[in-house]
Amino acid sequence: MSTDVKLYPLAASQRFFYSTWEKSQDKHLLNIGTSLTLESDVDFDVLKQSIQEAYNHCECLRVRLTKTDDGQVMQYVVDKETQEISFFEFSHWKQEDADNEMKKWTSVPFERFDSPLSRIVMISMPGGFKGMYMLVDHMIMDAQGIFLFFKDVIEVYCSKKYGTPYPKPLKSFIQALEKDLKYMNNSKAFQRDKEYWYNVIKESEPLYTDVTGEKSLDRERAKYNNPNLRAVNTLDTGNASDILSFHLEPNPSDVLIKFCMQHNISMTCLLLTALRTYLQKVNDNQPDISICNAVSRRATLLEKFSGGSRIQFFPCRTVVQTNETFLDACRKIQANQNQVFRHADYDIYDFFEARKKYYNLDEGQTYEPISLTYQPLVLRSSDVPDIRYKSGWYCNGIASQNLYLTVTHDSLDDGLDFTFEYRTEKYNFNDLEKIYYFVTRILFEGVNHPDETIAEVIANT
């Protein structure tokens, strides 16, 4: 590291990820492996040039972490990315074998300090799809940051190959970071958000409701000899993980989208309603349900187009009685999320530490059995040719939580993909198939009969 580079502290979301990484023995925990491939005869020389240019557009991909003499973790941006972009030929492999190889790539840890936190390999895949695999550390990019970078690469490529307009410049990651750091420096907005979240903590203690039913909480209560215990240790098993996806076809997916438009409900809130109703169903109609929901924190143009890792996971706790309607539950979730969005810049690491202290929780004890992310992004633009593409996500083999559901729009048919990352010692295929089966049944029962009570939705599914 040059002595004249400007150092910046970590932002709130980065601080949370770094703490998770520091506590883990598995140093590839924050690795995200993805791919983008086109059904096209890709010119790999032009693609390589396009990736290099996109690297130079994207400040967050040129971030390096460093430790100061007094042990503080800081970050800086290098002027240019110089690492080699290699090529791998998968076209004669079986698809499953190619995917497994990229899973292996995804499990290789980065050198944490003063070293690149990303790696790109151009790939030629079975079935004629060609493009790139990307490995990136979650401290510098989240899913929306990755999507933004992929979109920039494709637009640069198409401008060179087909003469389409060159993409507009990305926004500055450093400017977005400076804005976040100013907020974190005990600003009035920070103080308001802290007051809000501390009031949430003090309001009342949540209750853990597992996706497999009441047995997890029962075991925890027996272990601590405390029949009133409301939290469960979700880190008491091995953290080896895998990914399992289920596909919902385009027509039924469109039914959900139309319901959201008709009732002015976001897809995230609809999915949260179905998930919480499922948890209520398998936990003896328990009305007090908590789920962690991902908040992208990309409201402004600067936040949307500067990349980086802005995502934070906040608890979504709702109490819905069985005599309330499905639409009532959707509205309750939406009201909850509207409040969360207003205070989503707050340091989530501080929130969880404060909650742990307030309720005297042991390390690993929590109230949320599952986390949800909904990603509405699709890689389409009027400025590039209409080329079919595939996106891939590759498990790094380690999970920091028991169960994480990501719902995305399928790139080939516009259906919805439900992708579970799960700890293999905790859950199995049958568990996840059951969750997907009942969540989708609840979704369509609720969407088709929004005035049914939760009791009726549960009985009819």
Side-chain angles (χ1 to χ4, degrees):
M1 180 187 71
S2 172
T3 56
D4 60 352
V5 298
K6 186 170 182 179
L7 299 182
Y8 299 89
L10 300 182
S13 57
Q14 293 177 307
R15 183 168 169 245
F16 177 79
F17 286 128
Y18 184 79
S19 172
T20 304
W21 174 86
E22 194 173 35
K23 293 175 183 177
S24 176
Q25 294 180 344
D26 302 290
K27 297 310 182 185
H28 58 289
L29 177 73
L30 300 181
N31 284 13
I32 305 175
T34 64
S35 67
L36 176 69
T37 53
L38 310 179
E39 193 178 40
S40 174
D41 189 17
V42 170
D43 185 327
F44 284 105
D45 290 333
V46 175
L47 179 60
K48 185 174 183 178
Q49 295 172 19
S50 302
I51 293 169
Q52 290 168 334
E53 288 186 28
Y55 255 121
N56 291 331
H57 297 166
C58 188
E59 284 181 343
C60 69
L61 269 184
R62 292 180 275 117
V63 164
R64 304 289 193 264
L65 302 179
T66 193
K67 265 192 175 181
T68 61
D69 293 340
D70 59 358
Q72 287 190 67
V73 178
M74 305 286 278
Q75 60 188 319
Y76 60 98
V77 176
V78 297
D79 292 335
K80 188 174 182 180
E81 190 55 77
T82 57
Q83 62 176 305
E84 179 61 27
I85 298 165
S86 59
F87 171 81
F88 200 94
E89 179 63 75
F90 281 120
S91 61
H92 301 298
W93 291 44
K94 293 179 181 179
Q95 183 69 49
E96 182 182 1
D97 293 339
D99 290 342
N100 286 335
E101 181 66 17
M102 285 185 279
K103 284 183 182 179
K104 291 180 184 177
W105 295 353
T106 306
S107 66
V108 178
F110 288 107
E111 184 68 37
R112 181 67 14 186
F113 300 108
D114 299 304
S115 184
L117 294 173
S118 67
R119 175 187 172 218
I120 293 179
V121 181
M122 297 182 296
I123 53 176
S124 179
M125 296 294 287
F129 282 79
K130 300 177 177 66
M132 56 185 165
Y133 161 89
M134 180 178 186
L135 178 63
V136 66
D137 192 282
H138 213 333
M139 284 192 67
I140 66 168
M141 259 194 178
D142 56 24
Q144 291 204 33
I146 292 168
F147 171 84
L148 182 71
F149 176 75
F150 278 168
K151 185 173 182 289
D152 193 50
V153 171
I154 295 306
E155 289 182 349
V156 173
Y157 176 85
C158 288
S159 74
K160 293 178 178 295
K161 193 70 177 174
Y162 304 112
T164 56
Y166 197 79
K168 295 178 181 178
L170 300 183
K171 301 294 184 182
S172 168
F173 166 77
I174 291 298
Q175 286 183 18
L177 175 63
E178 288 174 336
K179 180 183 174 185
D180 287 343
L181 295 175
K182 184 178 180 181
Y183 159 85
M184 291 169 62
N185 191 24
N186 208 29
S187 65
K188 289 183 179 179
F190 175 88
Q191 293 172 26
R192 286 195 302 269
D193 293 344
K194 181 176 182 177
E195 181 181 11
Y196 170 81
W197 285 113
Y198 275 56
N199 286 337
V200 167
I201 292 171
K202 295 173 184 177
E203 184 179 8
S204 64
E205 186 176 11
L207 178 71
Y208 183 90
T209 50
D210 196 71
V211 295
T212 58
E214 298 172 289
K215 59 185 180 182
S216 290
L217 184 58
D218 290 342
R219 280 197 301 265
E220 196 82 356
R221 285 172 169 175
K223 177 182 175 182
Y224 283 83
N225 193 27
N226 180 0
N228 298 315
L229 190 66
R230 298 174 69 86
V232 165
N233 186 348
T234 60
L235 302 182
D236 59 350
T237 60
N239 57 6
S241 71
D242 205 349
I243 287 177
L244 182 64
S245 291
F246 299 92
H247 181 64
L248 185 65
E249 293 78 6
N251 288 340
S253 297
D254 195 49
V255 170
L256 302 183
I257 293 169
K258 287 179 178 176
F259 173 85
C260 292
M261 295 174 65
Q262 178 184 353
H263 295 280
N264 197 27
I265 298 287
S266 72
M267 179 62 76
T268 295
C269 291
L270 178 60
L271 293 168
L272 284 168
T273 304
L275 267 177
R276 75 154 320 282
T277 305
Y278 169 75
L279 291 171
Q280 192 164 2
K281 176 185 177 76
V282 299
N283 286 274
D284 195 28
N285 291 326
Q286 170 59 241
D288 190 347
I289 303 293
S290 293
I291 299 168
C292 257
N293 182 48
V295 180
S296 64
R297 299 170 58 246
R298 294 187 185 273
T300 67
L301 289 176
L302 176 61
E303 293 164 352
K304 286 178 181 177
F305 295 106
S306 57
S309 187
R310 302 191 59 80
I311 192 170
Q312 295 210 102
F313 288 88
F314 287 95
C316 174
R317 181 190 183 191
T318 49
V319 178
V320 178
Q321 305 298 334
T322 53
N323 62 353
E324 297 182 73
T325 70
F326 184 83
L327 191 56
D328 289 337
C330 288
R331 301 288 188 209
K332 237 175 202 184
I333 291 273
Q334 188 121 312
N336 173 284
Q337 289 302 286
N338 286 341
Q339 286 296 315
V340 170
F341 294 155
R342 292 189 184 100
H343 304 281
D345 285 330
Y346 189 68
D347 188 337
I348 194 62
Y349 175 83
D350 181 79
F351 168 83
F352 282 119
E353 287 297 306
R355 188 176 75 171
K356 175 183 171 183
K357 182 178 180 180
Y358 191 83
Y359 289 110
N360 195 29
L361 300 180
D362 286 347
E363 187 69 33
Q365 284 188 325
T366 188
Y367 307 102
E368 295 83 26
I370 185 170
S371 296
L372 171 71
T373 298
Y374 168 62
Q375 295 289 352
L377 307 171
V378 289
L379 195 67
R380 292 201 183 96
S381 170
S382 58
D383 291 335
V384 301
D386 187 16
I387 301 173
R388 277 163 50 95
Y389 72 93
K390 289 181 182 179
S391 57
W393 296 85
Y394 306 98
C395 181
N396 65 24
I398 298 296
S400 61
Q401 54 191 318
N402 277 342
L403 192 56
Y404 181 15
L405 171 61
T406 302
V407 181
T408 56
H409 292 263
D410 189 274
S411 57
L412 295 179
D413 69 3
D414 288 331
L416 289 173
D417 290 328
F418 289 69
T419 302
F420 293 90
E421 182 182 30
Y422 63 102
R423 284 187 167 173
T424 53
E425 285 190 25
K426 182 73 174 178
Y427 302 115
N428 57 41
F429 174 85
N430 291 335
D431 294 326
L432 303 181
E433 186 179 47
K434 179 183 176 183
I435 297 168
Y436 173 72
Y437 174 76
F438 281 107
V439 165
T440 50
R441 285 196 64 178
I442 288 167
L443 275 170
F444 289 105
E445 184 69 23
V447 163
N448 292 324
H449 309 283
D451 293 325
E452 280 188 350
T453 65
I454 293 299
E456 290 170 326
V457 171
I458 286 175
N460 291 335
T461 55

